Amino acid sequence: MAWDEWEQIKAGAEAGPSASMRLNQVAPAAGGGGSGKPDLASSPAAKKAAAKAIDDDLEPGVTKDGKHAAETTKDAARAFGAKDGHGWDTSGALRRAHETWEKQVKMLLGRLSSEKQALSATGISVQNNELDIAARLARQSRIQGI
């Protein structure tokens, strides 16, 4: 940094804070940011509906379709299996594909369950955060005499 540049920065700092750093007004009633929308939006009803959809539609559908695919794959592996001492290589490949399929269905069901629990817990978490912030603000304003 050149000496002249440093002198300019010091002179600017001595002149006081810039207008962009000063709080010239209170945030609009709808929330900060000036966009007219709240900064954080949370819809407990939408989260509840999403968790219900996972519980009522997705998990049962994945379970049902996962079992159907597993049954047809087992049947195909059996059909290609050894009947006279010799079988098709396809039979072993289908068995391995079936094992992979079962693992993937279990992982998907676990993920859906996690998402459902997270959706249910998010509403409680957001509400607790709001209550905590309100309590902190109330405590600060009493201390500062505001």
Side-chain angles (χ1 to χ4, degrees):
M1 180 182 315
W3 184 258
D4 292 335
E5 187 179 0
W6 173 247
E7 290 298 324
Q8 288 175 351
I9 292 170
K10 281 186 358 184
E14 289 172 1
S18 68
S20 65
M21 295 180 65
R22 229 178 301 147
L23 178 62
N24 293 329
Q25 63 184 1
V26 175
S35 66
K37 295 184 204 173
D39 290 340
L40 174 64
S42 175
S43 172
K47 288 181 185 72
K48 186 176 182 179
K52 184 173 175 15
I54 290 172
D55 197 37
D56 294 348
D57 298 326
L58 292 175
E59 287 177 328
V62 168
T63 301
K64 178 182 159 228
D65 294 339
K67 285 181 182 176
H68 174 71
E71 290 168 5
T72 55
T73 304
K74 280 183 186 178
D75 291 344
R78 231 179 280 120
F80 286 116
K83 293 179 179 67
D84 58 356
H86 302 286
W88 292 66
D89 289 340
T90 306
S91 178
L94 283 172
R95 283 192 195 95
R96 287 189 298 280
H98 171 68
E99 290 169 4
T100 302
W101 175 260
E102 283 185 329
K103 288 176 188 175
Q104 290 176 341
V105 168
K106 285 180 185 178
M107 285 181 6
L108 178 57
L109 287 170
R111 178 68 187 265
L112 287 171
S113 178
S114 296
E115 295 297 328
K116 180 175 58 175
Q117 290 171 357
L119 284 165
S120 299
T122 300
I124 295 167
S125 177
V126 169
Q127 183 180 10
N128 287 341
N129 284 341
E130 289 177 358
L131 292 172
D132 183 50
I133 290 169
R136 285 188 205 175
L137 290 173
R139 229 181 355 242
Q140 279 181 344
S141 63
R142 276 190 239 121
I143 293 172
Q144 295 173 357
I146 296 176

